[in-house]
Amino acid sequence: MYNIILTGEEIDFNFSELKSMGVDIYHYPMISTSKIINSINPNNFEYVIFTSKNGVKYFMNNLTAKIDDSLGFICIGRKTADKLAKYNFQADYILKRNYSRFMCEDIRALDLKTESKMLLAQGNLAKKDLFDCLSKFINIEQGIFYETSLIDQVNHEIKNLLEHENTFTVFTSPSTFESFIDKYNPNDKIISIGNTTTEYIEGRGYKPLVTAKMQSYEGISNSIINFLNKNLNYEICLLYTSDAADEGL
């Protein structure tokens, strides 16, 4: 009945509820990430701030020393904290709002010592907004530990899926959308993970049907389910109205 194309590099959600509704899920990554060699001694810092799971992964791959027990971690979102836990470390603080202006406000609200030296672990496409904001009130250094590359190869299976009227495409970052529209026409059935991605999509001349309220695959799934339920109810209503008119009711 419906097809969903996922374009993110890694999927950490099974979309079981959507599948139970008869939705077919396809995963075609539009980006790939790789390590940037940036050797780091973690014990030169009192806190490390992670804004993504990739930040955790590639930071850990660049360590030159064992992490001391005194090092603290600040994570944006539960998924990022869960990724950190896989390396046997617990986040001291988990922030819920995943936008630069909110992250900065939330970190400021932690009331950490301003002289504490912190590291912001990010990728090469990270905007400077968060770092610039944090620099105003804490001693912070930015570390770039991974790069994001766009997938160049054209996949004809994606083109075939896009020919179907009920195919939706999910974008989890501006880079996934940039990579996608370089090779395909996403039609008008676009799902965005959040406001930053939506703003980029709109800047490229497209309009998402749905922007997830929660920046996660769970949030995407819930938003798609709500959209499909409304759409199905609308179609049923039209069908009922048409049938009633035919019967002269």
Side-chain angles (χ1 to χ4, degrees):
M1 182 169 57
Y2 292 100
N3 301 315
I4 304 291
I5 299 174
L6 305 175
T7 60
E9 183 180 24
E10 295 183 359
I11 308 299
D12 57 1
F13 191 74
N14 61 18
F15 293 91
S16 57
E17 191 170 353
L18 275 171
K19 292 176 182 176
S20 69
M21 296 171 62
V23 177
D24 291 325
I25 307 293
Y26 299 87
H27 182 208
Y28 295 109
M30 289 292 110
I31 59 171
S32 63
T33 57
S34 57
K35 175 182 175 180
I36 291 177
I37 297 177
N38 184 9
S39 299
I40 193 82
N41 184 340
N43 304 314
N44 291 335
F45 304 90
E46 293 182 53
Y47 286 95
V48 179
I49 301 171
F50 294 117
T51 61
S52 70
K53 294 183 294 181
N54 280 330
V56 176
K57 173 182 176 181
Y58 292 106
F59 167 82
M60 293 296 178
N61 288 342
N62 270 291
L63 297 182
T64 61
K66 183 179 178 181
I67 295 176
D68 289 343
D69 293 338
S70 60
L71 183 63
F73 298 102
I74 301 171
C75 290
I76 308 300
R78 170 56 59 183
K79 295 293 185 181
T80 304
D82 289 344
K83 184 69 173 182
L84 180 64
K86 291 183 178 180
Y87 292 90
N88 297 318
F89 295 100
Q90 299 298 316
D92 295 84
Y93 303 98
I94 302 174
L95 309 181
K96 295 181 179 180
R97 300 187 292 177
N98 195 20
Y99 293 103
S100 295
R101 64 184 183 278
F102 295 137
M103 288 188 279
C104 187
E105 292 172 5
D106 290 344
I107 292 173
R108 187 197 300 267
L110 296 177
D111 199 26
L112 302 172
K113 295 179 180 178
T114 55
E115 66 272 15
S116 298
K117 190 174 182 182
M118 303 186 192
L119 175 69
L120 178 61
Q122 295 183 300
N124 68 313
L125 297 184
K127 293 182 178 180
K128 294 285 289 183
D129 301 21
L130 179 58
F131 175 75
D132 290 343
C133 182
L134 293 173
S135 298
K136 295 176 181 179
F137 61 92
I138 57 176
N139 179 15
I140 192 163
E141 177 180 319
Q142 184 183 40
I144 303 300
F145 296 101
Y146 67 96
E147 63 179 345
T148 300
S149 302
L150 307 186
I151 300 296
D152 292 328
Q153 185 177 356
V154 174
N155 189 319
H156 292 286
E157 293 179 3
I158 295 177
K159 287 190 171 183
N160 290 336
L161 283 170
L162 290 171
E163 290 177 359
H164 292 276
E165 180 181 358
N166 291 326
T167 293
F168 298 80
T169 309
V170 173
F171 298 100
T172 55
S173 66
S175 54
T176 58
F177 188 75
E178 179 184 351
S179 178
F180 193 89
I181 63 171
D182 185 51
K183 296 173 281 294
Y184 313 101
N185 180 3
N187 57 51
D188 61 348
K189 293 181 171 58
I190 296 171
I191 311 293
S192 167
I193 195 173
N195 293 338
T196 299
T197 301
T198 291
E199 289 171 4
Y200 181 83
I201 292 171
E202 291 177 341
R204 298 301 299 268
Y206 295 84
K207 179 70 175 179
L209 278 178
V210 177
T211 298
K213 294 181 179 180
M214 182 170 60
Q215 286 190 289
S216 65
Y217 281 115
E218 181 182 1
I220 287 172
S221 179
N222 291 338
S223 296
I224 294 174
I225 290 168
N226 289 337
F227 175 82
L228 293 181
N229 283 336
K230 289 179 182 178
N231 191 51
L232 287 172
N233 289 336
Y234 176 70
E235 291 175 355
I236 290 170
C237 181
L238 286 180
L239 179 61
Y240 175 79
T241 303
S242 175
D243 288 345
D246 291 341
E247 295 295 333
L249 299 176

